[in-house]
Amino acid sequence: MSIVVLTGAGISAESGVATFRDADGLWEGHDVAQVATPEGFAADPNLVQRFYDERRASLASVEPNAAHLALAELEQELGDRLLVVTQNVDDLHERAGSKNVIHMHGQLRSVWCTACDARFKWDAPLVTNPPCPGCAVPNLRPDIVWFGEIPYQMDEIQQALLDADTFVSIGTSSEVYPAAGFVALASDVGARTLEINLHPSRMSRVYDEVRKGPATAVVREWVDEVLA
Ligand code: OAD
């Protein structure tokens, strides 16, 4: 058995982390282009640094929920036959105990030095323009993959999808590529595909099965079935 699970903002929603596409189309009151593109960062670096500083600081007040914990439990049983690919920049999968996790859109608790190209674990604000711990140049930016940038570890993800017999997406609107295309690739190579979401997504019709409901309940049920 080889399972790839793709997670999106919906898995962290019940932990109190805001999803990206609220009804008003804004992300915590901001236009996504303003805070999630290289152009937005160039136009107003302080606003963007403050935005991610707030998101990073708010991680201290959220906890993994039953869905993150169920996936960690599944990894305990399956080991490296389970890969979690997350679009989320929070650290709730790791705090739940998952180890085999790829953050394809980066992580809030990481910084990228655009002077020396190194990445570091990071918990402090960036709006103060601190020096890089490696080269001392104050050119740190959030280690987040913005629109127009290439997601991380795509070769590994593609290989895992080619090898998977089951592909499950949890709490993603499937509005953003390349993640939105993973189901088609998995399906093409014969994997069974399951979508778990509160609402239909843009890709629901492509899945073999769709289970509607909150991630905390539906992921738990699915993991229990796999472990039975
Ligand atoms: P979205 O905010 O686009 O979608 C969240 C999805 O979660 C929706 O389909 C909701 O129906 C679903 N949802 C909400 N609460 C849920 C719950 N309790 N249980 C199950 N499902 C629930 O978030 P993503 O699809 O993750 O990229 O967004 C993809 C990417 O767009 C993000 O990674 C981010 C953003 O721009 C970057 O930052 C690069």
Side-chain angles (χ1 to χ4, degrees):
M1 184 194 299
S2 180
I3 303 178
V4 176
V5 170
L6 171 69
T7 64
I11 197 169
S12 296
E14 291 166 84
S15 291
V17 181
T19 57
F20 294 94
R21 289 174 185 77
D22 291 328
D24 59 6
L26 298 179
W27 180 13
E28 304 247 329
H30 293 273
D31 186 319
V32 170
Q34 209 180 12
V35 294
T37 61
E39 295 77 16
F41 185 51
D44 194 342
N46 282 352
L47 177 133
V48 175
Q49 296 286 29
R50 253 197 313 274
F51 180 79
Y52 289 96
D53 284 353
E54 283 167 20
R55 310 273 85 68
R56 191 180 309 106
S58 70
L59 291 181
S61 56
V62 297
E63 296 292 335
N65 64 46
H68 300 102
L69 291 165
L71 291 179
E73 193 184 319
L74 189 58
E75 187 188 295
Q76 290 273 321
E77 287 301 314
L78 298 184
D80 60 11
R81 289 178 296 152
L82 172 68
L83 172 66
V84 173
V85 178
T86 188
Q87 300 167 87
N88 298 342
V89 294
D90 65 50
D91 59 353
L92 295 178
H93 284 302
E94 286 83 356
R95 281 159 61 196
S98 288
K99 295 192 171 57
N100 207 12
V101 181
I102 291 179
H103 281 269
M104 63 179 291
H105 289 167
Q107 302 187 61
L108 284 167
R109 284 186 160 152
S110 175
V111 284
W112 173 24
C113 174
T114 52
C116 71
D117 198 29
R119 288 175 168 79
F120 301 91
K121 284 193 172 166
W122 197 264
D123 251 328
L126 286 176
V127 74
T128 52
N129 226 12
C132 168
C135 72
V137 176
N139 269 357
L140 298 173
R141 59 161 267 188
D143 190 10
I144 304 284
V145 178
W146 288 325
F147 287 97
E149 299 180 327
I150 298 168
Y152 294 147
Q153 293 175 266
M154 284 305 298
D155 288 350
E156 265 172 83
I157 296 170
Q158 187 162 16
Q159 192 55 55
L161 289 167
L162 293 174
D163 294 341
D165 49 46
T166 305
F167 173 77
V168 183
S169 83
I170 303 168
T172 177
S173 60
S174 299
E175 293 285 347
V176 176
Y177 281 83
F182 291 171
V183 60
L185 177 57
S187 216
D188 280 352
V189 296
R192 195 180 83 85
T193 59
L194 166 66
E195 175 176 74
I196 295 174
N197 201 309
L198 261 187
H199 306 292
S201 80
R202 203 184 175 82
M203 285 289 162
S204 292
R205 69 188 189 292
V206 178
Y207 285 81
D208 295 322
E209 191 188 350
V210 174
R211 296 190 189 182
K212 205 172 148 191
T216 50
V218 184
V219 175
R220 180 73 259 172
E221 279 164 22
W222 170 70
V223 166
D224 285 345
E225 283 170 30
V226 177
L227 293 177

